[in-house]
Amino acid sequence: NFLVQKILLILKYLILISMAFLFAGCTTVDVNREPNWTSEGSDLSEVLVFRGEKWWYGKVESGFGSTENYVVALKNNQYSVVPVPVGENIFQVIGAGGSPPYKFDMSISDDERKCIEIRGNSASMSMILVPILGFMIPSFIASEVECPSEGQLSAYELISPTL
């Protein structure tokens, strides 16, 4: 009897957690134009932003943009080429569903292309044990990486940013 109650309690938690992931996957990231990145006379370079295939957060969108606006939303196996201002930039990545953004800075030179990989934050999986952590730990993180080859990118879907 005690064992059955423990199993039922674990199943209830698993159902609640599954529902949280389901609802997070049903939400989207608001994508808007970033006027500071497209104003006339701006010196622009390119950032290639991509997301590989990971089992967690597979259907959940991750937004990439400035601290003011997200210009593209990506799911697994998608990428985008985003024009950004030359100089020091503060970018952020956010996951749909209420987690806080992950902010990072990057310097980019004129006519330079840099690459950013967005991936699920394994630390956010702690929300399975303590659900409130889902609102305190970013669902996604990003880092500058070596750019993927054309062959590697052929396995990804190109998503146009909102400009």
Side-chain angles (χ1 to χ4, degrees):
N1 192 16
F2 178 75
L3 182 61
V4 171
Q5 287 178 341
K6 285 292 184 183
I7 291 172
L8 288 174
L9 183 63
I10 290 171
L11 287 174
K12 285 180 186 178
Y13 279 121
L14 289 175
I15 290 170
L16 287 173
I17 291 165
S18 298
M19 288 175 59
F21 277 109
L22 175 68
F23 291 134
C26 294
T27 60
T28 59
V29 173
D30 289 332
V31 176
N32 297 298
R33 193 169 113 7
E34 175 49 79
N36 295 325
W37 289 3
T38 56
S39 55
E40 237 178 272
S42 296
D43 289 333
L44 299 175
S45 282
E46 288 182 339
V47 171
L48 186 145
V49 184
F50 68 98
R51 227 178 106 181
E53 174 133 14
K54 298 290 182 199
W55 65 271
W56 66 83
Y57 299 120
K59 300 291 183 193
V60 178
E61 287 184 339
S62 56
F64 170 81
S66 69
T67 55
E68 301 296 321
N69 293 297
Y70 298 102
V71 297
V72 67
L74 301 176
K75 293 181 181 174
N76 280 355
N77 293 329
Q78 294 182 334
Y79 78 99
S80 186
V81 179
V82 181
V84 299
V86 169
E88 191 68 30
N89 290 284
I90 299 174
F91 299 122
Q92 67 182 22
V93 174
I94 195 164
S99 68
Y102 175 81
K103 295 181 182 184
F104 62 101
D105 61 331
M106 176 187 284
S107 182
I108 190 163
S109 303
D110 197 21
D111 295 325
E112 180 179 31
R113 177 186 254 191
K114 290 199 174 182
C115 293
I116 296 171
E117 180 181 23
I118 298 172
R119 59 192 180 286
N121 183 1
S122 57
S124 71
M125 296 306 285
S126 60
M127 77 176 213
I128 291 171
L129 300 173
V130 184
I132 193 74
L133 291 179
F135 297 103
M136 297 178 198
I137 299 173
S139 297
F140 292 94
I141 56 175
S143 59
E144 183 179 352
V145 296
E146 185 176 319
C147 290
S149 68
E150 289 296 323
Q152 291 169 316
L153 280 180
S154 67
Y156 290 70
E157 177 187 1
L158 176 62
I159 304 297
S160 297
T162 301
L163 301 175

